[in-house]
Amino acid sequence: MFKYILRYIRGYLYVSLVGKSPERFINLCRNNKIYIWKVIKDDTGYVFYMYAADYKKLNKIFWKTKTYPHILERYGIIFHIKRLLRRRMLIPSFALFLFVIYALSYVVWDIDISGEMRHTDEEIREYLKDIGVCEGVLTNDVDGSAIEKNIRNRFNDISWVSVELSGCNIHIKILEADIMEDKRNTDEEYSSITASSSGIINKIMTRKGTPHVRAGDTVEKGQILVSGIIELYDDSGGVIKKNPVYADADVYIDTIYEYKDEFPMIYADRHYTDSTKKKIKIHIFDRTFFLENPLNRFKSYEKYDIMSEVVSPDAPDIISDNIFLEHECISEYETVYRTYNNNEAVEMARDNLRVYLNRLHDKGIIIGFKDIKADINDGMCTVKGTINVCEPQYERVPITDDDWSVDSPNEQDGEDS
């Protein structure tokens, strides 16, 4: 295949010999290292293929043999280019075509949005158009980080956004968090939101209550973030009343999780033998009938797995629900102990880490930078490190009567008098 491509790039000719000494002509070509191939004798003489660059070398051989090489066909990219050059209007047209293709490669052609559930695709596209992101803008003007930040600020229930520019398309992936309300306290008793871990406030948006922190503040575990007490002041600045409420806010804390996983390199595995027992159960309403090989009754397995398959007849529901077959296969297995190799241990550690991260994701926690290392020593694989996360705050502390009661100054004066 490669030699055909090379011939096409160099250019080659299909030649017919016209003269008295074609055999001598061919011999002289080979003596002068002029490569020809597929030499065939026909009614008119000989025909063969040769490279276009070698055709000019045939002048001396022509004068010696009085045999003229007549060109029948020309093949190769160089001949196609020459034909195109004869049509002068094609050159500027082709140049214009390349320029247009190059220019259009710097234009956004499509915006793909996925992951949205509460917000419609049209709503997000309308907002993107307001901030200057739409089909037709230049790819150089697309700032993924700025778009992510604007979307998170505009839609408070979107916890994670990924903006990727791939070629001429913008791919936007959205994760909407179900953390707008604390479902663990359905009675909505008076309470304040506290920090479940130490860290730095990433974002806070208060809907009800009194915020005690703001973005960028460092907080400790158990510290009150949004108080469930709203204070009312008089003209002199004194507190005249405290109203208890159920604090409602979205608070995110940037914190660090310590991750550790450990498992032995030797593990128990199942090795299935060829010994099996098969049964067929016929279920007719509330009765069950067994069909099995009588010899199977003498087999007893210490360890086994049971796999069953239910086959229902193609009939109305009242029949298929009450009359059906069940194939049951009991397979014996032995416990064997195997050892993970290094690659298997690393893959096992990755799977465990993936499960752990999925659990965090299900809680609405946004995963950030991870610094995880694995070490194999003394027959144990130990994986530990740190994970930077952005964690929503759910912890609450109830408000007691003493927290929000305010003694009346008049009542105190009356008691003193």
Side-chain angles (χ1 to χ4, degrees), residues 308-327:
S308 61
E309 179 184 4
V310 176
V311 179
S312 299
D314 188 7
D317 293 341
I318 190 172
I319 297 177
S320 60
D321 292 343
N322 295 284
I323 301 176
F324 56 90
L325 296 178
E326 181 180 359
H327 296 276

Side-chain angles (χ1 to χ4, degrees), residues 72-130:
L72 300 178
E73 295 289 344
R74 295 176 174 84
Y75 303 95
I77 191 172
I78 186 172
F79 298 109
H80 291 293
I81 294 175
K82 289 181 178 179
R83 294 190 193 102
L84 292 175
L85 291 177
R86 295 191 190 114
R87 303 178 181 180
R88 297 181 180 180
M89 289 304 298
L90 288 179
I91 298 176
S93 300
F94 185 69
L96 179 62
F97 170 76
L98 294 178
F99 174 76
V100 171
I101 294 297
Y102 178 77
L104 293 179
S105 66
Y106 284 89
V107 177
V108 174
W109 285 94
D110 183 49
I111 299 177
D112 176 58
I113 303 174
S114 61
E116 73 280 9
M117 296 181 66
R118 297 190 188 93
H119 304 282
T120 63
D121 189 84
E122 291 76 13
E123 180 183 5
I124 298 176
R125 289 181 183 274
E126 191 66 28
Y127 173 71
L128 292 175
K129 190 178 296 184
D130 293 339

Side-chain angles (χ1 to χ4, degrees), residues 2 104 112 125 137 188 215 229 242 263 279 285 298 319 329 333 350 392 395-396:
F2 179 74
L104 293 179
D112 176 58
R125 289 181 183 274
V137 301
E188 293 197 357
I229 299 175
K242 294 181 179 181
F263 57 89
K279 297 180 181 180
F285 292 92
F298 299 99
I319 297 177
C329 180
Y333 70 86
R350 287 177 178 172
E395 298 294 332
R396 291 182 172 274

Side-chain angles (χ1 to χ4, degrees), residues 24-273:
R24 186 185 176 197
F25 184 95
I26 294 173
N27 290 332
L28 289 175
C29 286
R30 294 186 176 179
N31 292 336
N32 288 275
K33 297 181 179 180
I34 298 175
Y35 180 61
I36 61 177
W37 65 93
K38 288 188 178 181
V39 180
I40 301 174
K41 185 177 182 180
D42 59 6
D43 297 336
T44 59
Y46 288 89
V47 292
F48 56 85
Y49 293 90
M50 65 179 301
Y51 287 115
D54 294 337
Y55 186 77
K56 294 181 180 179
K57 301 177 183 178
L58 300 178
N59 288 333
K60 295 180 179 180
I61 300 175
F62 164 70
W63 289 111
K64 287 182 179 180
T65 61
K66 304 300 180 180
T67 303
Y68 176 70
H70 178 65
I71 299 175
L72 300 178
E73 295 289 344
R74 295 176 174 84
Y75 303 95
I77 191 172
I78 186 172
F79 298 109
H80 291 293
I81 294 175
K82 289 181 178 179
R83 294 190 193 102
L84 292 175
L85 291 177
R86 295 191 190 114
R87 303 178 181 180
R88 297 181 180 180
M89 289 304 298
L90 288 179
I91 298 176
S93 300
F94 185 69
L96 179 62
F97 170 76
L98 294 178
F99 174 76
V100 171
I101 294 297
Y102 178 77
L104 293 179
S105 66
Y106 284 89
V107 177
V108 174
W109 285 94
D110 183 49
I111 299 177
D112 176 58
I113 303 174
S114 61
E116 73 280 9
M117 296 181 66
R118 297 190 188 93
H119 304 282
T120 63
D121 189 84
E122 291 76 13
E123 180 183 5
I124 298 176
R125 289 181 183 274
E126 191 66 28
Y127 173 71
L128 292 175
K129 190 178 296 184
D130 293 339
I131 62 175
V133 180
C134 58
E135 291 84 352
V137 301
L138 297 179
T139 55
N140 294 334
D141 296 336
V142 177
D143 188 350
S145 300
I147 296 173
E148 293 173 359
K149 183 178 180 181
N150 289 332
I151 292 177
R152 286 197 299 267
N153 292 337
R154 170 61 178 81
F155 303 97
N156 296 318
D157 58 342
I158 293 180
S159 60
W160 177 81
V161 183
S162 172
V163 177
E164 178 186 3
L165 179 62
S166 177
C168 297
N169 300 327
I170 299 177
H171 301 283
I172 301 177
K173 298 179 181 179
I174 293 174
L175 176 63
E176 297 175 341
D178 294 325
I179 57 176
M180 304 303 291
E181 56 182 355
D182 190 352
K183 298 181 179 179
R184 293 181 295 177
N185 194 336
T186 56
D187 296 335
E188 293 197 357
E189 297 177 354
Y190 301 148
S191 59
S192 301
I193 300 176
T194 60
S196 58
S197 57
S198 302
I200 300 175
I201 300 295
N202 178 279
K203 175 184 175 183
I204 179 170
M205 187 186 73
T206 306
R207 287 180 291 274
K208 188 184 294 185
T210 303
H212 285 189
V213 295
R214 56 185 176 179
D217 290 350
T218 301
V219 298
E220 299 294 333
K221 182 178 180 180
Q223 180 178 340
I224 294 179
L225 305 177
V226 179
S227 173
I229 299 175
I230 299 177
E231 298 178 345
L232 301 179
Y233 300 90
D234 57 16
D235 295 338
S236 62
V239 178
I240 59 175
K241 188 177 181 181
K242 294 181 179 181
N243 291 332
V245 297
Y246 176 82
D248 185 15
D250 295 334
V251 187
Y252 296 84
I253 290 181
D254 289 334
T255 186
I256 298 176
Y257 280 7
E258 296 289 338
Y259 177 78
K260 184 175 182 181
D261 180 32
E262 192 175 43
F263 57 89
M265 296 291 290
I266 299 176
Y267 65 99
D269 193 11
R270 296 180 180 182
H271 172 70
Y272 289 94
T273 66

